Amino acid sequence: MTYYDQIKTTLQRQSNLTQLLIVNLSLFILTNIIDHFLKLNLLSYLVLEAGDLNYLYKPWTLLTYQFTHLNLGHFIVNIIMLFFVGNLYLQTIGQRLIYVYVMSGLFAALFIIILSMIFQNQFHSSFLIGCSASVIGLLCASARYSPNLMISVFFGTVTTKLKYVAIGVVLITSIIDFSSNMGGKIAHIGGALFGVMYGYYLQKGTDIFNFSFMVKHKKKHLKIVSYDRGKDYEYNEERALSEQRMNELLDKVIKSGYQSLTKGEKDELNKYSQKP
């Protein structure tokens, strides 16, 4: 088994949240080791530059930015958020964790890309890096699915509804203070919008990641069988006559023995005895 197969098998044995944590940690360690020893900055190949058209030449950055972090402080804050919000998501929704994580990040990226096309001067130097938009998507999905769930915050000193926590996090991380990386903070709103949408439809009983509705099922054609009472009557009458004739032959056998039957009567009795 190769190292790749070993890593793949190990990841498959873990929970979805553990897989996300491992991928984020592994990429952070890898980028820092390569930067320190080989003096090669991988961040320029992994970060999404939303304000320019560079993402057209590096489309993979729509995905890789969600697992990449700028420095140790940035990584620690995001990974702690992912751990707690991921567990909250598993407790409330419990399915599609990785899908919602990735799609929230993609939705956030597309949101800021569209805005950068409309307001080019405002988002010229915007870039996206880190899993915060994806984590906010998970949080908002949980809050929309279970808005009145009571949770403890501030180290257990305050208990409030989950929807209020989600609103507070979105306000603090997105709307407040646009002066620093405005594009990245607005992208949080995109992640939040996707999370709310997913939680809304899931609460209504629709999983937007379930594509079974796209499979066309062939309609079964009803085969109509006509019922003829006349034939049914003829069948019953014929069966009654057959039973009567067989009883006559059996009476003859009882009285005079089987040898008293003619060859035709023996064949006739044998035929009746084989009928169901």
Side-chain angles (χ1 to χ4, degrees):
M1 181 181 292
T2 64
Y3 287 113
Y4 171 77
D5 293 332
Q6 292 177 357
I7 295 173
K8 182 179 178 181
T9 302
T10 302
L11 286 174
Q12 289 175 341
R13 291 174 180 174
Q14 309 303 319
S15 69
N16 289 337
L17 178 56
T18 304
Q19 291 174 2
L20 288 177
L21 293 170
I22 291 175
V23 172
N24 276 276
L25 176 61
S26 300
L27 192 56
F28 178 73
I29 294 174
L30 179 64
T31 54
N32 278 273
I33 289 177
I34 292 178
D35 182 39
H36 182 74
F37 291 101
L38 301 180
K39 305 302 179 182
L40 177 63
N41 185 11
L42 287 181
L43 293 183
S44 59
Y45 301 98
L46 302 175
V47 172
L48 174 64
E49 298 178 55
D52 299 317
L53 297 178
N54 289 337
Y55 56 84
L56 295 177
Y57 306 100
K58 297 183 291 184
W60 62 84
T61 57
L62 290 167
L63 179 64
T64 56
Y65 93 88
Q66 304 175 36
F67 302 92
T68 309
H69 294 86
L70 193 59
N71 50 49
L72 182 60
H74 184 223
F75 171 77
I76 291 176
V77 170
N78 279 352
I79 212 70
I80 291 176
M81 286 181 57
L82 175 58
F83 177 78
F84 285 106
V85 173
N87 277 294
L88 179 63
Y89 179 93
L90 292 176
Q91 292 173 13
T92 53
I93 297 179
Q95 63 177 9
R96 314 287 192 186
L97 173 68
I98 295 179
Y99 288 99
V100 177
Y101 177 99
V102 172
M103 289 304 299
S104 296
L106 289 177
F107 206 84
L110 294 176
F111 186 70
I112 191 61
I113 286 173
I114 292 173
L115 288 180
S116 68
M117 293 178 178
I118 300 174
F119 308 101
Q120 296 182 5
N121 295 332
Q122 297 295 326
F123 300 94
H124 179 70
S125 59
S126 295
F127 63 92
L128 298 184
I129 181 171
C131 65
S132 54
S134 300
V135 172
I136 289 176
L138 293 173
L139 176 62
C140 290
S142 302
R144 186 60 187 84
Y145 185 75
S146 303
N148 298 318
L149 176 67
M150 302 299 294
I151 64 171
S152 298
V153 294
F154 300 115
F155 303 100
T157 59
V158 178
T159 301
T160 185
K161 293 181 179 179
L162 179 56
K163 61 183 178 181
Y164 298 135
V165 174
I167 292 172
V169 170
V170 173
L171 287 175
I172 293 172
T173 62
S174 304
I175 298 178
I176 297 177
D177 188 16
F178 277 157
S179 61
S180 176
N181 190 18
M182 180 175 65
K185 290 186 176 181
I186 291 181
H188 291 173
I189 300 176
L193 289 175
F194 179 83
V196 169
M197 179 182 68
Y198 180 73
Y200 171 80
Y201 281 107
L202 192 63
Q203 191 182 52
K204 298 295 182 182
T206 301
D207 184 355
I208 61 176
F209 291 118
N210 184 358
F211 302 106
S212 60
F213 67 90
M214 299 177 64
V215 180
K216 294 182 178 179
H217 300 280
K218 292 183 179 180
K219 294 183 178 180
K220 294 183 178 180
H221 297 284
L222 181 64
K223 184 179 180 181
I224 300 176
V225 180
S226 60
Y227 177 71
D228 192 337
R229 285 182 174 272
K231 289 184 178 180
D232 192 34
Y233 175 80
E234 292 175 0
Y235 171 77
N236 290 333
E237 185 179 19
E238 181 181 353
R239 181 167 182 172
L241 293 174
S242 298
E243 291 180 354
Q244 182 180 357
R245 176 57 179 165
M246 184 174 66
N247 289 334
E248 291 176 355
L249 295 173
L250 289 175
D251 289 339
K252 186 176 180 179
V253 170
I254 294 172
K255 292 178 180 179
S256 306
Y258 182 76
Q259 299 298 328
S260 63
L261 297 177
T262 63
K263 185 178 183 305
E265 290 175 334
K266 290 179 181 179
D267 294 338
E268 191 177 3
L269 180 61
N270 184 52
K271 182 183 68 173
Y272 290 143
S273 62
Q274 293 178 358
K275 285 187 177 183

